[in-house]
């Protein structure tokens, strides 16, 4: 799949090969979109009917602290996956050619995203219990997010290596440096969350939501000069 | 999606960027379609094997009032999601450019739609129990729908603001006013359902189905003049 | 969504509107593909870990009559959905314009297909219990299939009404008549299965698989003359 | 998908039919992508909240041998499905025309892939129990993989039969022979795993991961001469 890039299609069958390459990039995005959409939508399966509801007690049971924790965990994870999808799109819109390493890193990234419903369920279950179990749940959740940020950084470092030959438009060295710093900074934002988890599970969830919102502002966009390079 | 060819990226930055915007819209729709399709199909997981079936008692057990309530809730929610997808399509067919606010509102809308299997499960479980629990279940279901209508209205108000610059074809001020009224009217239709839930859960479900059918008639179509603007 | 067909796009904005119509048909297919793919893949959730496995007893437990019944029900339903998707594609490849009635019938068809994992689970649970419960399970399964065949026939009758104006290429009256007979014949094949269920659940499942294979031969293809009309 | 324009349907039947065949290939890939993405993402549902967690015991409970076995089975299966998707894409990029046999084999392949979450769950449950149950679980997992390799070989033998008329570009007889050998060799790699399962379940899972990595190197690429045929 990989190295047979557009550049190597020098003689004959140009349009044929060019087309199949476009499909390749498109198809990687289609598969990724699928995983994002499914992982986000599967989160609802983490929500459980309140148990032991007495006659007339459902209204109260639907809004207990435990249920609200489940809804909050659902909403934050849905938002995180949605924003990640958004940035995945921003990144791959700039990618011209998907090589094998990109594909492998992307697979690992999807693996970690598709895993998120599990830590979400753990967090939903233990968030409002407080104490060490809530901390462990928040740590487990933040661990998944930290690995995700590491894979994002790896993906971008790889895409901008070797003179950005995988990108649609060459980036200036300064822009490459700045964009790489931002992705690396992402890792530095997510690592302290692992420690914060042991202070407050609720605060950790709130900050994870805040980080997702921060990333909704598109780091790549800010690293781009006002005119396209 | 297919148009994002390699060839088109070579001539000038303008077409490249224009193309990538088109892809953006397409991809937002692809992601949304995914969430709609998955949320609708996941509804089947709300259906449970009847428990405590005696030898020879399955036929009866498959058609008890409780099972019929489950099927009805499944069917109404499937239809609601299907119709919402339909209207999502109608709206986004008119959108030329997806900005960040549109994306965020759309994400919230998807979050609420992907949540629907949960209130559906609650309603399926309590619809035929009657009394306050059935009312609470119908209220919870209607709450999800009311938030959905609010987000639809927000989405359309945003898309028609600033001289409709996000739309494919400029709408006349009068048409904008009328279409906004219709979306706002939608909210006014869904809010009373929150009160109705406390009168009758069954009637609430029936009216939710009726509202979905009403929206199947496409409010945007009716606000459109006979000739395209 | 509906009546604003390709034909009505007579003046101005031709390419714009033509494009958006193509997207409409494409998007209905995309949504449908999604539901087909998800419903088929969700079937695996009907499979349950054998319970009460003793140390060293797993190999036997994985191949008991009950587990084999689960695998058989999974395989038949997966195949049924796959073949239905195939024929859905064959039909919609001939459709030029999707009107509102087509969309509603298609939604109902998807509703019934997305429902299939539930009767599949019922059948998997009761197939090897024998007796009246197995019959009831086979009846419930066949009921879903019979409704599906009814909706297929409705869809095709609607698409070929009014001089086939919804189709890409006009069909000769004789071809219309023959193709309608075939879809109606489909209903006549599925209705007797409802009675057969009370004779043998296993035979019913086997015949449902056989019917799916029969439909894999594409009724539409056979009703088509050797040269395109 | 986008190419199936309205305009192309008007000029001659040839291009129309050629176009519809292209759509067929695209749609088969879309459906397959859907099944791959869903099956991979559904794997997370195999992960279960640790049960019987004491206050303060969650951190330990999240990393017991049993939980680690669940994560490992999840990761290997996700990777296997991801790589299979990759190779599915490599193969179908070379396919020009999808005939009915290809479709049926592809459906069976998808059936076996969509089934994978079940053996994965069995393996996750029994991997760390050791003894005969762990062996049985590894055998069941390897059986699914062996059937998959058989279907891959069947698919490729079919696609390269009759002078490769289903392929985009004719392959030289020698290249056909070599590529067929490689797919057949795949079966010969997966069959011994069935025996290995009875030696060590952990080793079997590790080797399955290694095989997936091996296939990530794309057997088709290696069978391709340096210049396109």
């Amino acid at each position: 799949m990989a190295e047979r890039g557009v550049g190597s299609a020098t003689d004959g069958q140009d349009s044929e090969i060019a087309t199949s390459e476009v499909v390749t990039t498109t198809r990687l995005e289609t598969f990724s979109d699928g995983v994002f959409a499914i992982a986000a939508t599967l989160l609802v399966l983490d929500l459980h009917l309140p148990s032991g509801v007495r006659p007339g007690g459902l209204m109260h049971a639907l809004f207990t602290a435990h249920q609200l924790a489940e809804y909050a965990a659902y909403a934050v994870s849905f938002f995180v996956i949605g924003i990640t999808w958004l940035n995945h799109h921003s990144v791959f819109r700039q990618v011209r050619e998907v090589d094998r390493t990109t594909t492998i890193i992307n697979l690992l990234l999807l693996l970690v995203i598709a895993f998120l419903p599990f830590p979400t369920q753990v967090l939903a279950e233990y968030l409002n219990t407080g104490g060490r179990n809530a901390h462990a749940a928040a740590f487990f959740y933040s661990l998944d997010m930290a690995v995700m940020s590491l894979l994002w950084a790896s993906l971008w470092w790889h895409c901008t290596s070797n003179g950005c030959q995988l990108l649609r438009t060459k980036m200036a060295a300064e822009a490459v440096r700045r964009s790489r710093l931002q992705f690396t900074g992402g890792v530095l934002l997510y690592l302290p969350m692992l420690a914060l988890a042991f202070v407050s599970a609720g605060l950790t969830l709130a900050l994870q939501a805040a980080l997702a919102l921060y990333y909704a502002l598109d780091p790549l966009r800010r690293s781009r000069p006002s005119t396209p390079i």
Side-chain angles (χ1 to χ4, degrees), chain A:
Chain A
M1 203 171 172
E3 295 92 331
R4 197 175 64 150
V6 172
S8 64
T10 47
D11 46 0
Q13 300 171 308
D14 278 43
S15 69
E16 209 281 294
I17 284 171
T19 304
S20 78
E21 279 311 316
V22 168
V23 172
T24 301
T25 312
T26 302
R27 216 185 172 201
L28 182 135
E29 291 189 78
T30 306
F31 183 75
S32 305
D33 276 357
V35 171
F36 282 118
I38 300 154
T41 318
L42 280 185
L43 288 166
V44 76
L45 300 182
D46 288 349
L47 303 174
H48 299 297
L49 281 185
S51 60
V53 176
R54 285 165 303 106
L58 181 61
M59 184 64 88
H60 178 259
L62 285 170
F63 297 101
T64 58
H66 182 262
Q67 287 299 120
L68 293 175
E70 284 203 353
Y71 308 153
Y74 164 82
V76 172
S77 288
F78 193 98
F79 218 72
V80 163
I81 295 178
I83 297 300
T84 308
W85 157 73
L86 211 79
N87 285 326
H88 190 269
H89 181 29
S90 296
V91 167
F92 276 91
R93 204 172 40 182
Q94 301 184 52
V95 173
R96 179 179 56 88
E97 191 188 326
V98 175
D99 68 358
R100 195 153 293 273
T101 307
T102 312
T103 310
I104 300 284
I105 300 177
N106 190 55
L107 260 185
L108 290 173
L109 187 63
L110 295 178
L111 188 153
V112 170
I113 286 160
F115 190 77
L116 195 59
F118 183 62
T120 302
Q121 196 182 357
V122 172
L123 191 55
E125 188 66 25
Y126 290 100
L127 182 60
N128 78 315
T129 64
R132 285 171 60 194
N133 279 1
H135 295 165
F139 171 81
F140 195 58
Y141 189 85
S142 299
L143 188 60
D144 198 65
M145 306 292 282
V147 174
M148 209 189 287
S149 70
L150 262 170
L151 288 166
W152 270 120
S154 313
L155 186 69
W156 189 245
W157 278 72
H158 175 68
C159 284
T160 51
S161 61
N162 294 323
C164 300
Q165 62 183 12
L166 297 177
L167 298 188
R168 249 167 225 283
T169 48
K170 233 178 151 54
M171 285 175 77
E174 173 60 20
V176 166
R177 205 187 55 83
R178 244 185 306 149
S179 68
R180 283 179 164 192
L181 266 183
Q182 273 172 330
F183 274 97
T184 313
V187 182
L188 298 180
L189 282 171
Y190 278 102
L191 283 182
M193 307 292 275
L194 294 174
L196 183 67
F198 293 101
V199 180
S200 164
L203 188 59
T204 304
L205 185 61
L207 276 182
Q208 292 286 5
L211 274 176
L213 267 175
Y214 166 78
Y215 275 103
L217 302 175
D218 192 357
L220 278 179
R221 180 172 295 239
R222 270 168 286 125
S223 69
R224 230 181 272 150
S226 53
T227 54
I229 312 175

